[in-house]
Structure formats: C-alpha cells, structure tokens
C-alpha cells in the first residue's frame, strides 16, 4: 500500500518519479537558481510536502542555510528524508500543510508537486498561511501539475505525458493508472488560475518560473 498521497511508496519514490516527470531534476535546479538570485544571506527555508527530500538535497551545498525544515504529512517520506540528512540545522516535521501556523519565519517556502492535491478552498487557505509564514520579501515557489486551457489541449498534453512515461519503461497499465489520477487523486488548475490565486493571497510579486506540457513552476514574493 502507498504510504503518501503520491502514486508511489516512499521506498520506490525516487526511481518512479523520474519515470513520471520529464525534467524532474530541473525543477530543483530552477529553484536553487532563483533563491540564489533573490536571497544573498543564509536563508530559513520550509519545504512542504518534502517527500524523500530532493529539494533539501539540492539546497544543502548550494545555498547557505540557517535553517531547513522538511515537512510532509507522510511518516514514510519524512523517514526517508531523515535518513539522508544529518545536518544540525535540518528539522523534520510530520504535519499537514493545511495546519501551517508559522508567522514571519521563512525566507523561502517550497512546495514541489504538492498543492495539486488540495481542493480549491484548501488551496486558498494554504496560500494565505504560506504568505503569513514568510518574512517580508520572502518567496513561495511551487511546482505543480497544471490543467491545460481547453479539452483538446488536455487530450494532447496527457497523450504526450503518456508517451513519455512509456518511453521511460513503465507498462501501459501503470501509465494509464497514473494518467487516470487527473481530477480524481489530484486537482490541477490552469496557469491563469494559479497566478490569480497567488495575487489574491496577498503576494506583491507573482511570476512564472518554468513551464512544460503538464507541469509548471511559479514564484511569488511577500
Ligand atoms: C509528488 S510528492 C512530491 C515530493 C517532493 N516534493 C518531490 O518533489 O519529490 C507529494 C508529497 O506531498 C506530500 N503531501 C501531500 N499532501 C500533503 C499535505 N496536505 N501536507 C503535507 N504534505 C503533503 C505527500 O506525502 C508526498 O510526499
């Protein structure tokens, strides 16, 4: 049985996720480059839905860190992340992002492939909570599965994604299983809706970071 909301058990997540997302490694490189550009000094960083800790893996060694909090609602995922990192300034929290209660504590909050699991109203609440948790000029960076603008766009984009997964060695059955999660296990919204929601949540700067087919990255500054 899977021990988190992603399609994969924490023990096989790192291998399976690379067969699923084209450019997966690039997400983290993009975030590191952005944080480096925006924040010069040591940063306080919260990674929500951290999974096995890929974001931390890219951040440690590349960015001066005062504090890095790995947060995930899955004990299995946090367990994996913990095995990876022995840094004194790394903290681990098994908690749900919907219960986020920090105030003015972080320079950076990342949510890599996490918020698409939230329902529409939960998204609104969580974005406001992230805004509250950031310091002034702090940034939220989110990568997500996004909704194409039209039904035809959705058909084409999902077909491209189907083809990618099969080329990576997944069986047809497994690939179809993943594609069928759209709108059932995760709830993508369009790029336009993302940008509007971020603005409505109080962020003074809202930008796109990256986009390809059915994944996109956004960043927003308090
Ligand atoms: C697709 S994985 C992404 C993991 C990691 N960020 C990465 O990019 O490899 C989604 C992660 O979000 C976590 N998650 C989903 N809903 C959550 C919630 N409401 N609060 C905290 N974590 C959540 C899951 O347990 C899972 O580890």
């Amino acid at each position: 049985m899977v021990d988190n909301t992603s399609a994969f058990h924490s023990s096989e997540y790192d291998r399976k996720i690379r067969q699923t997302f084209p450019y997966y490694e690039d997400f983290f490189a993009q975030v590191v480059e952005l944080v480096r550009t925006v924040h010069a000094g040591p940063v306080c960083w919260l990674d929500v839905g951290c999974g096995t800790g890929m974001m931390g893996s890219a951040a440690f060694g590349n960015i001066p860190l005062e504090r890095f909090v790995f947060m995930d609602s899955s004990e299995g995922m946090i367990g994996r992340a913990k095995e990876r990192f022995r840094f004194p300034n790394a903290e681990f929290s098994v908690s749900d992002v919907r219960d986020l209660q920090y105030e003015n504590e972080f320079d950076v909050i990342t949510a890599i492939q996490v918020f698409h699991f939230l329902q529409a109203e939960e998204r609104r609440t969580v974005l406001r909570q992230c805004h509250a948790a950031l310091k002034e000029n702090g940034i939220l960076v989110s990568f997500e599965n996004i909704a194409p603008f039209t039904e035809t766009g959705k058909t084409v984009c999902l077909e491209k994604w189907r083809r990618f997964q099969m080329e990576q060695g997944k069986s047809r059955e497994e690939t179809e299983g993943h594609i069928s999660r759209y709108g059932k296990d995760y709830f993508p919204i369009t790029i336009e809706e993302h940008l509007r929601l971020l603005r409505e949540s109080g962020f003074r700067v809202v930008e796109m970071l990256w986009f390809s087919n059915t994944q996109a990255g956004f960043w927003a500054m308090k």
Side-chain angles (χ1 to χ4, degrees), residues 3-8 13-14 17 21 24 27-28 47-55 71-75 77-78 93-99 110-118 122 126 143 181:
D3 59 353
N4 65 89
T5 56
S6 83
F8 315 119
Y13 179 84
D14 289 345
I17 201 72
F21 291 131
Y24 176 67
F27 299 171
F28 305 101
D47 185 32
V48 302
C50 66
T52 58
M54 276 299 294
M55 187 67 259
M71 175 197 279
D72 201 290
S73 52
S74 156
E75 275 183 38
M77 288 298 211
I78 286 289
S93 168
V94 179
S95 39
D96 196 300
V97 68
R98 290 169 290 194
D99 300 328
T110 42
I112 312 300
Q113 299 297 122
V114 183
F115 288 164
H116 54 226
F117 294 116
L118 301 173
E122 292 174 332
V126 165
F143 274 74
R181 286 166 56 85

Side-chain angles (χ1 to χ4, degrees), residues 156-186:
V156 172
C157 288
L158 290 182
E159 180 53 30
K160 278 179 75 185
W161 197 13
R162 181 179 281 117
R163 194 177 302 161
F164 171 82
Q165 293 183 58
M166 291 189 65
E167 282 168 6
Q168 301 311 305
K170 279 192 181 179
S171 67
R172 178 167 289 279
E173 192 188 2
E174 192 180 4
T175 303
E176 290 306 334
H178 203 91
I179 296 289
S180 72
R181 286 166 56 85
Y182 186 111
K184 186 160 63 78
D185 298 318
Y186 71 91

Side-chain angles (χ1 to χ4, degrees), residues 96-102 109 115 118-133 140 197-198 200-203:
D96 196 300
V97 68
R98 290 169 290 194
D99 300 328
L100 206 66
Q101 281 183 347
Y102 296 103
I109 299 178
F115 288 164
L118 301 173
Q119 303 286 340
E121 267 318 300
E122 292 174 332
R123 272 180 184 277
R124 274 186 191 280
T125 308
V126 165
L127 287 180
R128 293 214 177 95
Q129 287 163 330
C130 287
H131 185 270
L140 169 68
L197 262 183
L198 286 164
E200 287 174 1
S201 304
F203 289 95

